[in-house]
Amino acid sequence: APTRIKVKTNGDYFFAFTGPLEENSRISSNRSQVEFVLRKNGVAIPEGSTRSTYLRHESGHIRSSGHFHLLVPNLSANDYIEIFAKNIDTHANSVKIGTCSLYCEKVSASRTVFSATTTGTVAGNDFNPASDSALQWDNDLADSGFTHSDSVNSHNITLDSAGKYLVFVNLPLQSTGARVAPKLTVKLAGSEVVGGVASQGYLRNADGINKSSLHWVGLVSTASANQILTFDVSRRSSVTTSTTVPSGEKGSLFIEKLANADSLF
């Protein structure tokens, strides 16, 4: 079964995927978009999608790519993972998939990690608000070293000690607005971290394309204990249409405190 990655032991597993795309044929200057979805034992998991793959087929815009980085907790021995690809546009232009990459790792219980999902912000379910609104998180794994409550101030994730933290965020998006462009901002103690913006979630809402996604990967460093990490969304275009997580899906967050800060570049 060459499409399947079967795990041999119970545990939490991290997956990182990249899927490059390129124009294959063009009938006219319309749009293409592809979704990549991670399935567990044949069933799509709510947080396992990427749709940051918009191609315009015009002005040289003929390449794009999809990405996700997420923890899938509580896999059992002989569970299997697959990645599926599908077009989500209604136009006859076609694209071809380049050489994709998939990284899988069993996360040792000795590592200090945090994993959570989201479907809304402190202001509601709109991921395209006029001003920054912090995502609320429901954690499924929170090791000692992180302080977080699902019920009180769930947008705040406290990093209990100074150190370097590797962070992965994925946010699926859906909207009826034309040219909606939400952005994600990563903040530590209320200030944007260096390089802490993701804005590849453009939604054209033409040729059947009404979904997209935001993704951010980076290192967050803090020299002080008990610093609060938040993830804000806001609108980047002038289009005010509400943008939400697609029905049945979730955004995801994975954080790991790196044990040896001397071994980084």
Side-chain angles (χ1 to χ4, degrees), residues 50-123:
T50 175
R51 303 182 183 92
S52 57
T53 55
Y54 178 79
L55 282 88
R56 180 62 178 90
H57 296 284
E58 183 65 78
S59 304
H61 187 190
I62 60 171
R63 295 179 181 86
S64 189
S65 57
H67 312 265
F68 58 69
H69 312 80
L70 71 152
L71 187 80
V72 181
N74 303 317
L75 289 181
S76 300
N78 296 317
D79 282 346
Y80 65 88
I81 295 295
E82 297 171 290
I83 311 297
F84 279 71
K86 178 183 180 294
N87 74 299
I88 58 172
D89 60 88
T90 59
H91 202 264
N93 290 340
S94 68
V95 297
K96 57 186 177 182
I97 299 176
T99 300
C100 300
S101 65
L102 177 64
Y103 174 75
C104 312
E105 179 180 6
K106 185 177 186 294
V107 177
S108 168
S110 64
R111 291 157 62 176
T112 303
V113 300
F114 177 89
S115 175
T117 59
T118 184
T119 57
T121 76
V122 295

Coordinates of all heavy atoms in Angstrom, one line a residue, residues 50-123:
T50 N -4.7 21.8 3.7 CA -4.0 23.0 3.2 C -4.6 23.4 1.9 O -4.8 22.5 1.0 CB -2.5 22.8 3.1 OG1 -2.0 24.0 2.6 CG2 -2.1 21.7 2.3
R51 N -4.8 24.7 1.7 CA -5.4 25.2 0.4 C -4.7 26.5 0.0 O -5.3 27.4 -0.6 CB -6.9 25.4 0.5 CG -7.6 24.1 0.9 CD -9.1 24.3 0.9 NE -9.8 23.1 1.4 CZ -10.1 22.8 2.6 NH1 -9.8 23.7 3.6 NH2 -10.8 21.7 3.0
S52 N -3.5 26.7 0.4 CA -2.8 28.0 0.0 C -2.2 27.8 -1.4 O -1.0 28.1 -1.6 CB -1.6 28.2 1.1 OG -0.8 27.1 1.1
T53 N -3.0 27.4 -2.3 CA -2.5 26.9 -3.6 C -3.1 27.7 -4.8 O -3.1 27.1 -5.9 CB -2.9 25.4 -3.7 OG1 -4.3 25.3 -3.5 CG2 -2.2 24.6 -2.7
Y54 N -3.4 28.9 -4.6 CA -4.1 29.7 -5.7 C -3.2 29.9 -6.9 O -2.0 30.3 -6.8 CB -4.6 31.0 -5.1 CG -5.2 31.9 -6.1 CD1 -6.5 31.8 -6.5 CD2 -4.5 33.0 -6.6 CE1 -7.2 32.7 -7.3 CE2 -5.1 33.9 -7.5 CZ -6.5 33.7 -7.9 OH -7.1 34.6 -8.7
L55 N -3.7 29.6 -8.1 CA -3.0 29.9 -9.4 C -3.9 30.7 -10.3 O -5.0 30.3 -10.5 CB -2.6 28.6 -10.1 CG -1.4 27.8 -9.7 CD1 -1.8 26.8 -8.6 CD2 -0.7 27.1 -10.8
R56 N -3.4 31.8 -10.8 CA -4.2 32.7 -11.6 C -4.2 32.3 -13.1 O -5.1 32.7 -13.8 CB -3.7 34.2 -11.4 CG -4.4 35.2 -12.2 CD -5.9 35.3 -11.8 NE -6.6 36.3 -12.5 CZ -7.3 36.1 -13.7 NH1 -7.3 34.9 -14.2 NH2 -8.0 37.0 -14.2
H57 N -3.2 31.6 -13.6 CA -3.1 31.3 -15.0 C -3.0 32.6 -15.8 O -3.6 32.7 -16.9 CB -4.2 30.4 -15.5 CG -4.2 29.1 -14.9 ND1 -3.4 28.1 -15.2 CD2 -5.0 28.6 -13.9 CE1 -3.6 27.0 -14.5 NE2 -4.6 27.3 -13.7
E58 N -2.3 33.6 -15.3 CA -2.2 34.9 -16.0 C -1.0 35.6 -15.4 O -0.6 35.5 -14.3 CB -3.5 35.7 -15.7 CG -3.6 37.1 -16.5 CD -3.6 36.9 -18.0 OE1 -4.7 36.6 -18.5 OE2 -2.5 37.2 -18.6
S59 N -0.4 36.5 -16.3 CA 0.8 37.3 -15.8 C 1.9 36.5 -15.2 O 2.5 37.0 -14.3 CB 0.3 38.4 -14.9 OG -0.8 39.2 -15.5
G60 N 2.1 35.3 -15.7 CA 3.2 34.5 -15.1 C 2.9 33.8 -13.8 O 3.7 33.1 -13.3
H61 N 1.6 33.9 -13.3 CA 1.3 33.3 -12.0 C 0.8 31.9 -12.3 O -0.4 31.6 -12.4 CB 0.2 34.1 -11.3 CG -0.1 33.6 -10.0 ND1 -1.2 34.1 -9.2 CD2 0.5 32.7 -9.2 CE1 -1.2 33.5 -8.1 NE2 -0.2 32.6 -8.0
I62 N 1.8 31.0 -12.5 CA 1.5 29.6 -12.9 C 2.0 28.6 -11.9 O 2.0 27.4 -12.1 CB 2.0 29.3 -14.3 CG1 3.5 29.5 -14.3 CG2 1.4 30.2 -15.3 CD1 4.2 29.0 -15.6
R63 N 2.5 29.0 -10.7 CA 3.0 28.1 -9.7 C 2.5 28.5 -8.3 O 2.2 29.6 -8.0 CB 4.5 28.1 -9.7 CG 5.2 27.6 -10.9 CD 6.7 27.6 -10.9 NE 7.3 27.1 -12.1 CZ 7.5 27.9 -13.2 NH1 7.2 29.2 -13.1 NH2 8.1 27.3 -14.2
S64 N 2.3 27.5 -7.5 CA 1.9 27.7 -6.1 C 2.3 26.4 -5.3 O 3.0 25.6 -5.8 CB 0.4 27.9 -6.0 OG 0.0 28.3 -4.8
S65 N 1.8 26.4 -4.0 CA 2.2 25.2 -3.2 C 1.3 25.1 -2.0 O 0.7 26.1 -1.5 CB 3.7 25.3 -2.7 OG 3.9 26.5 -2.0
G66 N 1.1 23.9 -1.5 CA 0.4 23.7 -0.3 C 1.3 23.2 0.8 O 2.2 22.4 0.5
H67 N 0.9 23.5 2.1 CA 1.8 23.1 3.2 C 1.0 22.9 4.5 O 0.0 23.5 4.7 CB 2.8 24.2 3.6 CG 3.5 24.8 2.4 ND1 4.8 24.4 2.0 CD2 3.1 25.7 1.5 CE1 5.1 25.0 0.9 NE2 4.2 25.9 0.6
F68 N 1.4 21.9 5.3 CA 0.9 21.9 6.7 C 1.9 21.2 7.5 O 2.8 20.5 7.1 CB -0.5 21.2 6.8 CG -0.6 19.7 6.3 CD1 0.1 18.7 7.0 CD2 -1.3 19.4 5.2 CE1 0.0 17.4 6.5 CE2 -1.4 18.1 4.8 CZ -0.7 17.1 5.4
H69 N 1.8 21.6 8.8 CA 2.7 21.1 9.9 C 1.9 20.9 11.1 O 1.4 21.8 11.7 CB 3.9 22.1 10.2 CG 4.5 22.7 8.9 ND1 4.0 23.7 8.2 CD2 5.7 22.3 8.3 CE1 4.8 24.0 7.2 NE2 5.8 23.2 7.3
L70 N 1.7 19.6 11.5 CA 0.8 19.4 12.6 C 1.1 18.1 13.4 O 1.7 17.2 12.8 CB -0.7 19.4 12.1 CG -1.1 18.2 11.3 CD1 -2.6 17.9 11.5 CD2 -0.9 18.4 9.8
L71 N 0.6 18.1 14.6 CA 0.7 17.0 15.5 C -0.6 16.2 15.4 O -1.7 16.8 15.5 CB 1.0 17.4 16.9 CG 1.3 16.2 17.9 CD1 2.7 15.7 17.7 CD2 1.0 16.6 19.3
V72 N -0.5 14.9 15.2 CA -1.7 14.1 15.3 C -1.5 13.2 16.5 O -0.7 12.3 16.6 CB -1.8 13.2 14.0 CG1 -3.1 12.3 14.1 CG2 -1.9 14.0 12.7
P73 N -2.3 13.6 17.6 CA -2.0 12.9 18.9 C -2.8 11.5 18.9 O -3.7 11.3 18.2 CB -2.6 13.8 19.9 CG -3.7 14.6 19.1 CD -3.2 14.7 17.7
N74 N -2.3 10.7 19.8 CA -3.0 9.4 20.2 C -3.2 8.5 19.0 O -4.3 7.9 18.9 CB -4.3 9.8 20.8 CG -4.2 10.7 22.0 OD1 -3.3 10.5 22.9 ND2 -5.0 11.7 22.2
L75 N -2.2 8.4 18.1 CA -2.3 7.3 17.1 C -2.0 6.0 17.8 O -1.3 5.9 18.7 CB -1.3 7.5 16.0 CG -1.6 8.7 15.0 CD1 -0.5 8.8 14.0 CD2 -3.0 8.6 14.4
S76 N -2.7 4.9 17.3 CA -2.5 3.6 17.8 C -1.7 2.7 16.8 O -1.7 3.0 15.6 CB -3.8 2.9 18.0 OG -4.6 3.6 19.0
A77 N -1.0 1.7 17.3 CA -0.3 0.8 16.4 C -1.2 0.3 15.3 O -2.3 0.0 15.5 CB 0.3 -0.3 17.2
N78 N -0.7 0.4 14.0 CA -1.3 0.0 12.8 C -2.3 1.0 12.3 O -2.9 0.8 11.2 CB -2.0 -1.4 13.0 CG -1.1 -2.5 13.2 OD1 0.0 -2.5 12.6 ND2 -1.4 -3.4 14.2
D79 N -2.5 2.2 12.9 CA -3.1 3.3 12.3 C -2.3 3.7 11.1 O -1.1 3.6 11.1 CB -3.3 4.5 13.2 CG -4.4 4.3 14.2 OD1 -5.3 3.4 14.0 OD2 -4.4 5.1 15.2
Y80 N -3.0 4.2 10.0 CA -2.2 4.7 8.9 C -2.7 6.1 8.4 O -3.8 6.5 8.6 CB -2.3 3.7 7.7 CG -3.7 3.5 7.1 CD1 -4.2 4.3 6.1 CD2 -4.5 2.5 7.6 CE1 -5.4 4.1 5.5 CE2 -5.8 2.3 7.1 CZ -6.2 3.1 6.0 OH -7.5 2.9 5.5
I81 N -1.7 6.8 7.8 CA -1.9 8.1 7.4 C -1.8 8.2 5.8 O -0.9 7.5 5.3 CB -0.9 9.1 8.0 CG1 -1.2 9.2 9.5 CG2 -0.9 10.5 7.4 CD1 -2.5 9.8 9.9
E82 N -2.6 9.0 5.2 CA -2.5 9.2 3.7 C -2.7 10.7 3.4 O -3.4 11.4 4.2 CB -3.5 8.4 2.9 CG -3.4 6.9 3.1 CD -4.5 6.1 2.4 OE1 -5.6 6.2 3.0 OE2 -4.3 5.5 1.4
I83 N -2.1 11.2 2.3 CA -2.4 12.5 1.9 C -3.1 12.4 0.6 O -2.7 11.8 -0.4 CB -1.0 13.3 1.7 CG1 -0.1 13.2 2.9 CG2 -1.3 14.8 1.3 CD1 -0.6 13.7 4.1
F84 N -4.3 13.1 0.5 CA -5.1 13.1 -0.7 C -5.0 14.5 -1.4 O -5.0 15.5 -0.7 CB -6.5 12.8 -0.4 CG -6.8 11.3 -0.3 CD1 -6.3 10.6 0.8 CD2 -7.5 10.6 -1.2 CE1 -6.5 9.2 0.9 CE2 -7.7 9.3 -1.1 CZ -7.3 8.6 0.0
A85 N -5.1 14.5 -2.7 CA -5.1 15.8 -3.4 C -6.4 15.9 -4.3 O -6.8 14.8 -4.8 CB -3.9 15.9 -4.3
K86 N -6.9 17.1 -4.4 CA -8.2 17.3 -5.2 C -8.3 18.7 -5.6 O -8.0 19.6 -4.8 CB -9.4 16.9 -4.3 CG -10.7 17.1 -5.0 CD -11.9 16.7 -4.0 CE -13.2 16.9 -4.6 NZ -13.5 18.3 -4.9
N87 N -8.7 19.0 -6.8 CA -9.0 20.3 -7.2 C -10.3 20.9 -6.6 O -11.2 20.1 -6.4 CB -9.1 20.5 -8.8 CG -10.4 19.9 -9.3 OD1 -10.7 18.7 -9.1 ND2 -11.3 20.8 -9.9
I88 N -10.3 22.1 -6.2 CA -11.5 22.7 -5.6 C -12.1 23.9 -6.5 O -12.9 24.6 -6.0 CB -11.2 23.2 -4.2 CG1 -10.1 24.2 -4.1 CG2 -10.9 22.0 -3.3 CD1 -10.0 24.8 -2.7
D89 N -11.6 24.0 -7.7 CA -12.1 25.0 -8.6 C -13.1 24.4 -9.6 O -13.2 23.2 -9.7 CB -11.0 25.7 -9.4 CG -10.2 24.8 -10.2 OD1 -10.5 24.5 -11.4 OD2 -9.2 24.2 -9.7
T90 N -13.8 25.2 -10.4 CA -14.7 24.7 -11.4 C -14.3 24.9 -12.8 O -15.0 24.7 -13.7 CB -16.1 25.4 -11.2 OG1 -15.9 26.8 -11.3 CG2 -16.7 25.1 -9.8
H91 N -13.0 25.4 -13.0 CA -12.6 25.7 -14.3 C -11.8 24.5 -14.9 O -11.3 23.6 -14.2 CB -11.7 26.9 -14.3 CG -11.6 27.6 -15.7 ND1 -10.6 27.3 -16.6 CD2 -12.4 28.4 -16.3 CE1 -10.7 28.0 -17.7 NE2 -11.9 28.7 -17.6
A92 N -11.7 24.5 -16.2 CA -11.1 23.3 -16.9 C -9.6 23.4 -17.0 O -8.9 22.5 -17.5 CB -11.7 23.1 -18.3
N93 N -9.0 24.5 -16.6 CA -7.5 24.6 -16.5 C -7.0 23.5 -15.6 O -7.7 23.1 -14.6 CB -7.0 25.9 -16.0 CG -7.2 27.0 -17.0 OD1 -7.4 26.8 -18.2 ND2 -7.2 28.3 -16.5
S94 N -5.8 22.9 -15.9 CA -5.3 21.9 -15.0 C -3.9 22.2 -14.5 O -3.2 23.0 -15.1 CB -5.3 20.5 -15.8 OG -4.3 20.6 -16.8
V95 N -3.5 21.6 -13.4 CA -2.2 21.8 -12.8 C -1.6 20.4 -12.6 O -2.3 19.4 -12.5 CB -2.3 22.6 -11.5 CG1 -2.8 24.0 -11.7 CG2 -3.1 21.9 -10.5
K96 N -0.3 20.4 -12.5 CA 0.4 19.2 -12.2 C 1.1 19.3 -10.8 O 1.6 20.4 -10.5 CB 1.4 18.8 -13.3 CG 2.4 19.9 -13.6 CD 3.2 19.5 -14.8 CE 4.2 20.5 -15.2 NZ 5.0 20.2 -16.4
I97 N 1.3 18.2 -10.1 CA 1.9 18.2 -8.8 C 3.4 17.9 -9.1 O 3.8 17.0 -9.8 CB 1.3 17.1 -7.9 CG1 -0.1 17.4 -7.7 CG2 2.1 17.0 -6.6 CD1 -0.8 16.3 -6.9
G98 N 4.3 18.7 -8.4 CA 5.7 18.5 -8.5 C 6.1 17.4 -7.5 O 5.2 16.6 -7.0
T99 N 7.3 17.3 -7.1 CA 7.8 16.3 -6.1 C 7.4 16.8 -4.7 O 8.0 17.8 -4.2 CB 9.3 16.2 -6.2 OG1 9.7 15.7 -7.5 CG2 9.8 15.1 -5.2
C100 N 6.5 16.2 -4.1 CA 6.0 16.5 -2.8 C 7.0 15.9 -1.7 O 7.7 15.0 -2.0 CB 4.6 16.0 -2.5 SG 3.4 16.5 -3.7
S101 N 7.0 16.5 -0.5 CA 7.8 16.0 0.6 C 6.9 15.8 1.8 O 6.0 16.6 2.0 CB 8.9 16.9 0.9 OG 8.5 18.1 1.4
L102 N 7.1 14.7 2.5 CA 6.4 14.4 3.7 C 7.4 13.9 4.8 O 8.2 13.0 4.5 CB 5.4 13.3 3.5 CG 4.6 12.8 4.7 CD1 3.7 13.9 5.3 CD2 3.7 11.6 4.4
Y103 N 7.3 14.6 5.9 CA 8.2 14.2 7.1 C 7.3 13.7 8.2 O 6.3 14.4 8.5 CB 9.0 15.5 7.5 CG 9.8 15.3 8.8 CD1 11.0 14.5 8.7 CD2 9.4 15.8 10.0 CE1 11.7 14.3 9.9 CE2 10.1 15.6 11.1 CZ 11.3 14.9 11.1 OH 12.0 14.7 12.2
C104 N 7.6 12.6 8.8 CA 6.9 12.0 9.9 C 7.8 11.7 11.0 O 8.9 11.2 10.8 CB 6.2 10.7 9.4 SG 5.3 10.8 7.9
E105 N 7.4 12.0 12.2 CA 8.2 11.8 13.4 C 7.3 11.4 14.6 O 6.3 12.0 14.9 CB 9.0 13.0 13.7 CG 9.9 12.8 15.0 CD 10.7 14.1 15.3 OE1 10.5 15.1 14.6 OE2 11.6 14.0 16.2
K106 N 7.7 10.3 15.3 CA 7.1 10.0 16.6 C 7.7 10.9 17.6 O 8.9 11.0 17.8 CB 7.3 8.5 16.9 CG 6.6 8.1 18.2 CD 6.8 6.6 18.5 CE 5.9 6.2 19.6 NZ 6.3 6.8 20.9
V107 N 6.8 11.7 18.3 CA 7.3 12.6 19.3 C 7.5 11.9 20.7 O 6.5 11.4 21.3 CB 6.3 13.8 19.4 CG1 6.7 14.8 20.5 CG2 6.1 14.5 18.1
S108 N 8.7 11.9 21.1 CA 9.0 11.3 22.4 C 8.3 11.9 23.6 O 8.1 13.2 23.6 CB 10.5 11.3 22.6 OG 10.8 11.0 23.9
A109 N 7.9 11.1 24.5 CA 7.2 11.7 25.7 C 8.1 12.6 26.5 O 7.6 13.3 27.4 CB 6.7 10.5 26.5
S110 N 9.4 12.5 26.3 CA 10.3 13.3 27.1 C 10.4 14.8 26.6 O 10.9 15.7 27.3 CB 11.7 12.7 27.1 OG 12.2 12.7 25.7
R111 N 9.8 15.0 25.4 CA 9.9 16.4 24.9 C 8.8 17.3 25.4 O 7.7 16.8 25.8 CB 9.8 16.3 23.3 CG 11.1 15.7 22.8 CD 10.9 15.1 21.4 NE 10.5 16.1 20.4 CZ 10.4 15.8 19.1 NH1 10.6 14.6 18.6 NH2 10.0 16.8 18.2
T112 N 9.0 18.6 25.5 CA 8.1 19.5 26.1 C 7.3 20.2 24.9 O 7.8 21.0 24.2 CB 8.8 20.6 26.9 OG1 9.6 20.0 27.9 CG2 7.8 21.6 27.5
V113 N 6.0 19.7 24.8 CA 5.2 20.2 23.6 C 3.8 20.6 24.0 O 3.3 20.3 25.1 CB 5.1 19.0 22.6 CG1 6.5 18.6 22.1 CG2 4.4 17.8 23.1
F114 N 3.2 21.4 23.1 CA 1.9 21.9 23.3 C 1.1 21.7 22.0 O 1.7 22.1 20.9 CB 1.9 23.3 23.7 CG 0.5 24.0 23.9 CD1 -0.2 23.9 25.1 CD2 -0.1 24.6 22.8 CE1 -1.4 24.5 25.3 CE2 -1.3 25.2 23.0 CZ -2.0 25.1 24.2
S115 N -0.1 21.2 22.0 CA -0.9 21.1 20.7 C -2.3 21.5 21.0 O -2.8 21.2 22.1 CB -0.8 19.6 20.3 OG -1.7 19.4 19.2
A116 N -2.9 22.2 20.1 CA -4.3 22.7 20.3 C -4.9 23.0 18.9 O -4.3 23.0 17.9 CB -4.2 24.0 21.1
T117 N -6.3 23.2 19.0 CA -7.0 23.5 17.8 C -7.9 24.7 18.0 O -8.1 25.1 19.2 CB -7.9 22.3 17.4 OG1 -8.8 22.0 18.5 CG2 -7.1 21.1 17.0
T118 N -8.4 25.3 16.9 CA -9.2 26.5 17.0 C -10.3 26.6 16.0 O -10.1 26.0 14.9 CB -8.3 27.8 16.9 OG1 -9.1 29.0 17.1 CG2 -7.6 27.9 15.5
T119 N -11.4 27.2 16.3 CA -12.4 27.5 15.3 C -12.9 29.0 15.4 O -13.8 29.4 14.7 CB -13.6 26.6 15.5 OG1 -14.1 26.7 16.8 CG2 -13.2 25.1 15.2
G120 N -12.3 29.8 16.3 CA -12.8 31.1 16.5 C -11.8 32.0 17.3 O -10.7 31.5 17.7
T121 N -12.2 33.3 17.4 CA -11.4 34.2 18.1 C -12.1 34.7 19.4 O -13.3 34.4 19.6 CB -11.0 35.4 17.2 OG1 -12.2 36.3 17.1 CG2 -10.6 35.0 15.8
V122 N -11.5 35.6 20.1 CA -12.2 36.2 21.3 C -13.3 37.1 20.9 O -14.2 37.3 21.7 CB -11.2 37.0 22.2 CG1 -10.1 36.1 22.8 CG2 -10.5 38.1 21.4
A123 N -13.4 37.5 19.6 CA -14.5 38.4 19.2 C -15.5 37.6 18.5 O -16.6 38.2 18.1 CB -13.9 39.5 18.3

